Structures are given as C-alpha cells and as structure tokens.
Amino acid sequence: MTRTVPAILRDLKARWADLKDLPVRALFDDDPARFADFSVSQGDLLADLSKTALTREVFSDLLALAEATGVAEKRDAMFAGQKINTTEDRAVLHVALRNRSNRPIEVDGADVMPDVNEVLERVCDFADKIRAGRIRGATGLPFTDVVNIGIGGSDLGPAMAARALSPYREGGPRVHFVSNVDGAHITDTLADLTPETTLFLIASKTFTTLETMTNAASARDWIASKLTDRAVRSHFAAISTNISKASEFGIAEDRVFGFWDWVGGRYSVWSAIGLPVAISVGGAGFKAFLAGAHEMDEHFRTEPLGRNLPVLMALAGIWHRDICGFATHAVVPYDQRLELFAAHLQQLDMESNGKRVTLSGEPATMETGPVVWGAPGTNAQHAFFQLLHQGTEVVPIDFLVAAEPQENLGDHHDKLIANCFAQSAALMVGRDIDEVRAQLSEKGMEPEAVEALAPHKVFPGSRPTVTLLYKTLDPRTLGRLLALYEHRVFVQGAVWGINSFDQWGVELGKELAASLLGIVRDGASPEEHDPSTAGLVAHLRSLRGR
Ligand SMILES: O=P(O)(O)OC[C@H]1O[C@](O)(CO)[C@@H](O)[C@@H]1O
C-alpha cells in the first residue's frame, strides 16, 4: 500500500527520534560500506552524504516522499515547457538556455531553441569582439573595463561566475558589478575607471528596477559629461526582456540582447544576462559553462531518483529542515574564487522557496526554505565556525572543494583541502568529555582545573555536512555546480508543493519605497504611514534641517 505524505512524515519523525542521540560516527561501525553507499557522483563530481544521520531506511522514506509528492512528474513538466509558474502563468525554462543538445523544447507549441541559439551566438560574437578590441569606444580605444549595472538575479549570478572563472580571463577586459542604489557603489567603481575605455552593460529583465535605472542614469551622465552625448551609443549595451524600454534609454538596437519571460531573474545567468561572463572568459568559455549545466540537467532529467544527485541532496535538505528541525543551511566553499557563491545561492534558494502557501494558496503544512548563508573557508573557520562546532543551533553545511587548484603555488592547496576535510571530520566525530579529561590530565593539569575546563572543550559532533569534491573549478564544473543547486531548490519546492518561481514577497517593500521617496526626497506628509515610520521621518528631517 502506498503511504500518504503525512504518514511518510510521521515515519521519518519516528526514525529521527531513534537516531538523534546516536553518534553519526557509529553508523559507520554498523555499515562498513557507508561511505560508498552514501556518496553520489556525476562524472568527477562526488557528493559525500555519509557524514549525516541519514540511513538506508531514512533514504527509502525520503524517496517515497519524493514519489508521493510527484517530484519526477513536476521535473518532467518543467523540462517540457509547461507553465509551472502558475501565479505568473509562465513556463520555467532556464534549462533551454543551456540545452546544448538542441533537443526541441516547446512553449505554446513553438520550439524556443532557434531564438535561444540566435541570442547566444550574438552574445558570444559581441563578447569576443569586445575582447579582441574589434568593438571599441567612441574615441577608438579598446575597452579595458566593463561595468555591469543590475541587481538581484541580474547581478549576483554573473558577478559570482565572473569571479569564479577569473583565471580564464586571459587578457580580457576587467568586469565590475554595480548593484546598490547607494551612490557609494557606482562612485567607488568609477573612481578608478577611464570613460574612453569603459563599456556599461545595463542588465534588467524588466528595465524598470529602481536601483538599476538610477545607476544607469548616473553612468549615462558620466559618459555624456566626460565624453559627449553621442558617445553614449558606443559605451552602452543592454540585456532585457523589455527591448523597447532599453531603446528608449538610448541604447542602439544591435546592442540590445533579449531574453524571455520564462527565464526567472535568479536563473538568468545562462541567458544574455551572462554577457559579462562571456566578455570575461570568451564565448567558448561561456559555452563550456552552459555545457556543464546541461550535463547536470541531463543527469537530473534521466537518472533514477535514488541515484540522482540533485534529488538526493534535496532530500537530505528536507530531512534536515522538516524532520530534524534545523532552520538554516550553510554553504562553505573552500575556494576563494567562490566567495560570491553563497550569496548567489542565498537569492536562488530564499527567493525561490521562501514561501508560506502552496500552489493552491493553502498554508504550507511543512516548513519551507531554510535561511541560506555562508562564506569561503578557511576564512569562515576563523569567523563563525565556533558556533557550528559548539553552538546550541545545529547548522547543516555543504562544503565544496576542488582536487586541483588553478595555480601552482607551493602547498597552499594541500593545506586548503586538509582544512576542509578536517572540519567535516571534526563536526562529525566531535570530542567527548572523557577524551577531553584524558587530554588535560596528560598535560599535568590538576583534577579540579580539569573539571572546570573540560565542558568548554567538548565537541558534541554528529553535526551534518555534505562535501562536494571535484577535479577543478573550470567553466564546465561551475556550470554543473550551479545547475545542481538550481535543481536541488526545484526538488525541495516540488516536495513542499510551493511555487519556486515567483517572488511576490519583494513587492510590498518596493511599493512602500516608492511612496516614501515622495516623503524623503520631495517633502510629502508621512501621515499615511505607521507612527513608527512617521517618527523616523520626523527625526530624519530634524537631522537634515529640512
Ligand atoms: O532584472 P530586474 O527586472 O531588474 O530585476 C532584478 C531583481 O529583482 C527581483 O525581481 C526582485 O528582487 C529579482 O527577482 C530580480 O532578479
């Protein structure tokens, strides 16, 4: 008899009740094949899930949960171009953007691939011509610096990827990212740049976003004032689904790169929004990034759920969030060039799965998206790892590390890997009080002093981690990693029965900001706002003397 979702969840909770006081380390004693059986691979990329409390029985229940919630059917609907983003009546087809096999994918009866391929070729051609100095600025100089102006998905994905792939720049222009409406961001970025050799990319799906339009206008003034009004056409390109708005801004038609409403902002780095990445690493490098993602798409689309990397990582996340009750999830790449990876995943995951109602509008019955956060190791070890080891909050962690570095620099990389492995081992194994007492006594400490210090030196252990280990961080592997996390988010949203592809939660703040601008900038009365906000406005006015 197939179990209902509440029955499976009850069974999982019963399993956790039995497992939660059992050291994870002990699971290896019972099961010598645990590492092999709890590792999943896609090519050289291996995910070690053995350092969690997951058992075969738990996995079997989690897979039953995936089946009962229709994960495979929902995945197939996405790949088939069905309008699974029901609140916006849109298909969800970032997978089409990296569909390097060119398999037809239809939306409303038409194959999207010819348009996808056409824009991709234009993007790569433009990028390569910028790199080669064949497209130049108004004064005839080649571009040395490219400034991407965008925010959210129009910033984080390309900024993360350009930073991650910086060893592949090979003499291409430097790329910079301006996102914040805080004037400090664009001021500081432009301070070191020369107008004659600077190209701006205005990246906005809607071409209406306050931050982006404000920064774009300041950038246009900078070029017009330092060069001429006419120079604007040579120093700007745009990426948007809103082609007419981009033209109104003054961007030449052949410098506007389009995409489609079925590309969500946080999934758009694969579209023309990836132009700064293509300029940084070249068209071929950008295509390798897409090809890596396509490999992961094919794995996700065709592997059975029980061997499917994104599915198993998602189910481990469901176990931690919904069964064990862990409210946050940390991502710690041991790779300085992945310093923006956690920030990008934070938007990807929290904007996708930070939802409180299901697709039918009913309150969600399970906890949905966790708080996602993180920073690169080893720096993070000297910042927040104290809490991860000994705090009262258990935080599941993903570690990412490459076997081979991009540079040949002594034993740096060996030390990096040793630290990564040491942290996951320490988090799992811990150190109990008897071991601590023995260590302190061995050092000759008095028994009374040992008793006073010992509790502070205990590590509870059994803190769950998943380690992703791969050959090297090249464009293909970055593509695979990012697609892996996108599908992980998808599977979790599918289990929770929510719409992972809208973002209505950002609207209210945007509306209030528009109204408050009239008050802050233009002096309108704040009385329609709540008393606390009106109080802040009054104090602001007294500080500004106006
Ligand atoms: O690309 P746009 O339309 O400027 O939007 C920027 C970002 O704003 C959001 O709509 C909301 O924060 C994101 O989803 C999006 O990536």
Side-chain angles (χ1 to χ4, degrees), residues 366-390:
M366 295 169 74
E367 298 294 345
T368 62
V371 173
V372 176
W373 59 289
T378 58
N379 293 19
Q381 291 174 200
H382 302 274
F384 54 77
F385 269 52
Q386 165 63 38
L387 183 148
L388 301 184
H389 284 286
Q390 289 188 317

Side-chain angles (χ1 to χ4, degrees), residues 387-454:
L387 183 148
L388 301 184
H389 284 286
Q390 289 188 317
T392 52
E393 195 71 41
V394 174
V395 181
I397 309 161
D398 289 353
F399 290 117
L400 291 87
V401 70
E404 305 286 355
Q406 295 286 345
E407 48 276 302
N408 188 7
L409 194 63
D411 61 358
H412 280 249
H413 204 71
D414 294 333
K415 287 175 176 161
L416 184 76
I417 295 175
N419 270 278
C420 177
F421 289 3
Q423 289 300 325
S424 66
L427 284 156
M428 177 179 75
V429 173
R431 178 169 287 160
D432 65 22
I433 193 132
D434 293 335
E435 211 180 322
V436 175
R437 283 185 183 125
Q439 267 195 351
L440 295 178
S441 305
E442 251 173 52
K443 285 188 185 152
M445 211 179 236
E446 293 300 323
E448 213 174 296
V450 167
E451 283 316 303
L453 187 56

Side-chain angles (χ1 to χ4, degrees), residues 151-154 204-206 209 212 265-266 347 351 503 506 510:
I151 197 164
S154 301
S204 174
K205 181 171 171 179
T206 53
T209 303
T212 303
R266 52 198 175 272
Q347 187 201 21
E351 198 162 79
Q503 56 283 318
V506 301
K510 278 190 198 169

